[in-house]
Structures are given as structure tokens and as C-alpha cells.
Amino acid sequence: GTSEEGAPPIQQCFMIPKKEINVVSDMAKWKRSQAYADYMGFILTLNEGVRGKKLTCEYKVSEPIEKLVALLNTLDRWIDETPPVDQPSRFGNKAFRTWYAKLDQEAEKLVATVIPKHLADAAPEVAVYLKESVGNSTRIDYGTGHEAAFAAFLCCLCKIGVLRVDDQMAIVFKVFNRYLEVMRKLQKTYRMEPAGSQGVWGLDDFQFLPFIWGSSQLIDHPSLEPRHFVDEKVVNENHKDFMFLECILFITEMKTGPFAEHSNQLWNISAVPSWSKVNQGLIRMYKAECLEKFPVIQHFKFGSLLPIQPVTS
């Protein structure tokens, strides 16, 4: 059966390739952990916080938010100061390793600029997530596991009270959006490989969260429906307001050929009748394809802020 307007049923829209995966027994431990509960709770809270809101709307910008943007601006400036080097291979420019070494060295200092003095002891632990969030310096790749580390970095800042409940919109629209801009610049400048990409079966080579939060932004939009995001004119006119459309714009800039061929999963999603169904489907897909896949989550770090211990409540 098909849903409204002859669109394929939701299962089909979120087709997950039937691959047998070897999952270590610790995946069960991860899914039962306090870290998983806190991380997923954080993602879903922000999902609700940005529902129906444009990137360009008014929202509170606190001092810690401003400091986080300044931190990301520093990372951006370092890209300008570290141009790509001439090398035989087209992908994975080795200059990324120079850029990363600087972050590795400065991460704790950068985090200390965001955290108040009385919480300074948390800086080393929080800095680990920042370093994990920009890609791998050995492989010169970037993927959803690195993106998850940045969300974990922000989650930790919430747990220690640096970011608060009324920062929700600014966390997504100001900080996470700036992070995306810097990551796109890294990907373009150093021609980074997608980490653990599923190719045409994946949603996107590099990101996932902006599709979740971006679809939430579009829930109950008076005129934009999921079928519209494959329309170039609609994307060009509305991308500054919606994260989802910014992602589509970036994909079309980076890839050539028919959209249905290079981004098949997204093409399928454009047939889903409503943004709320898209949003729910993406959350399910994120859990199944990112958080519950060993290659993605094997690098996730646990500590006192995001513990591996089972959920207590």
C-alpha cells in the first residue's frame, strides 16, 4: 500500500540495506548506558526546541554561546592559515594533519575560554570531545561519528551547567550551524574522505543531525513540503532559513549528476507526505544507522560526564 498522494510507504522511504553486521556484545552495554540516554535525550530536546523555527528567527544568545562561536571562528581562521599542500593524491590533503595538530595542542585552552573558572577541572574531559569532532588525522576522513562527538561536546557543556535550557535554539542555530560551516570548509579545503560512508545507501556522506533538526524546523510549514526540497529554486530561495535545505544545497554543490542517483535515500525521503513523518523516520534511522553501528560508535569516548554505566533511573 502507498500513503497519501501515491508516495511509497514509510518503510520503503527509509530503506535500510539488509546487511549482516557484526556487533560486539558491548553495543548492548552502550545502548543501556547513561551516556546513550543522555546523548539521545539531548538530541531529542533540541529537536523539540527548534520545531517550526527558522534559522533567522529571534532567540537569546548568552555569553557561553558567543564564546563557543568565537572558538569555532578560531578553528576557521586556522584553516586559512594552513593551506592545502601539493601532493599526488587528490583526496585527504596532508595539510589537515598540521591543522589538526594545532587543535590537539590548543583544545584544552580553547575549552577553558568557554568554561568558567570554578569548573576549570572539567576542561580536559570536555576537550576530548572537541578534538574528536573534526575528523581523523590519520585517515583524513570525517563522518557522523565525528559529528556525534561535537553533539557530545555540547551535551557535556549542558551537563556541567555552562549551557542552559534557554540556550536550546542558540545551540542549534548559532553554535551547531557554525560548526557545520567550519566542517564544510574542512571537507572542501582538505578534500576529506567520508568516514564509514555507505555510499548511495547513506543519507549523506558527512552529516546526519542537521537533517533531523532541519526537518523539525519545517514541521507545519504553511507551504514547504518534503517533495519541495528536490526543487533547486525552492532550495535557493529558502536555504538561509532552514538547516535541511542548507544541507541539500551543499550536496548539490559537491556532487554532479541526477539527485536521485547520488542521494537516493534523500530522494526517497522527498516522497514522505509530511515533515513530522520525515523527522520521526530520521530519528529512527539515526539510531539504527549511526548510534547502533559499531564502526561509527567504536570511537565514542566515555568519562565522568557521559558514563558507560547503565542508566540508573
Side-chain angles (χ1 to χ4, degrees), residues 200 256-264 267:
V200 76
T256 53
F259 191 87
E261 285 176 25
H262 62 62
S263 302
N264 189 258
W267 180 260

Side-chain angles (χ1 to χ4, degrees), residues 25-222:
S25 57
D26 275 2
M27 284 304 280
K29 193 176 181 183
W30 151 241
K31 282 170 70 180
R32 284 197 306 268
S33 72
Q34 189 65 50
Y36 183 92
D38 289 346
Y39 179 86
M40 214 49 230
F42 179 68
I43 299 301
L44 295 174
T45 301
L46 295 177
N47 189 56
E48 279 307 304
V50 300
R51 188 183 171 124
K53 308 277 199 313
K54 290 181 177 181
L55 285 168
T56 47
C57 74
E58 299 253 320
Y59 50 84
K60 172 184 172 272
V61 178
S62 64
E63 196 183 340
I65 293 287
E66 296 281 18
K67 287 175 174 174
L68 281 165
V69 172
L71 181 157
L72 290 164
N73 291 343
T74 300
L75 301 190
D76 191 328
R77 192 182 74 244
W78 289 350
I79 302 173
D80 297 334
E81 291 166 5
T82 319
V85 294
D86 282 334
Q87 61 177 47
S89 64
R90 196 166 142 237
F91 287 95
N93 195 284
K94 290 182 177 64
F96 175 72
R97 291 179 183 150
T98 310
W99 180 90
Y100 183 86
K102 191 159 191 177
L103 173 62
D104 195 31
Q105 205 181 333
E106 302 287 328
E108 279 187 38
K109 278 187 208 156
L110 287 172
V111 171
T113 64
V114 179
I115 294 179
K117 292 257 192 302
H118 69 281
L119 294 169
D121 289 353
E125 188 173 331
V126 176
V128 169
Y129 295 102
L130 179 65
K131 287 191 280 189
E132 293 279 317
S133 73
V134 297
N136 182 283
S137 66
T138 308
R139 296 188 302 273
I140 315 181
D141 66 4
Y142 174 92
T144 49
H146 302 110
E147 177 191 69
F150 191 75
F153 165 69
L154 296 172
C155 181
C156 287
L157 291 174
C158 287
K159 287 194 83 169
I160 61 175
V162 172
L163 297 173
R164 299 175 185 275
V165 174
D166 57 359
D167 287 318
Q168 278 177 42
M169 281 166 68
I171 288 170
V172 179
F173 292 169
K174 201 145 183 83
V175 180
F176 194 81
N177 207 40
R178 184 72 186 109
Y179 164 76
L180 285 177
E181 289 169 0
V182 179
M183 291 310 103
R184 286 172 185 147
K185 189 167 170 177
L186 276 181
Q187 288 152 23
K188 275 187 188 165
T189 306
Y190 304 121
R191 304 298 301 261
M192 296 174 81
E193 298 270 12
S197 171
Q198 296 170 308
V200 76
W201 292 112
L203 185 74
D204 177 75
D205 281 343
F206 298 109
Q207 313 297 157
F208 204 115
L209 291 174
F211 292 96
I212 295 178
W213 295 331
S215 59
S216 180
Q217 282 184 276
L218 285 153
I219 290 172
D220 298 330
H221 192 282

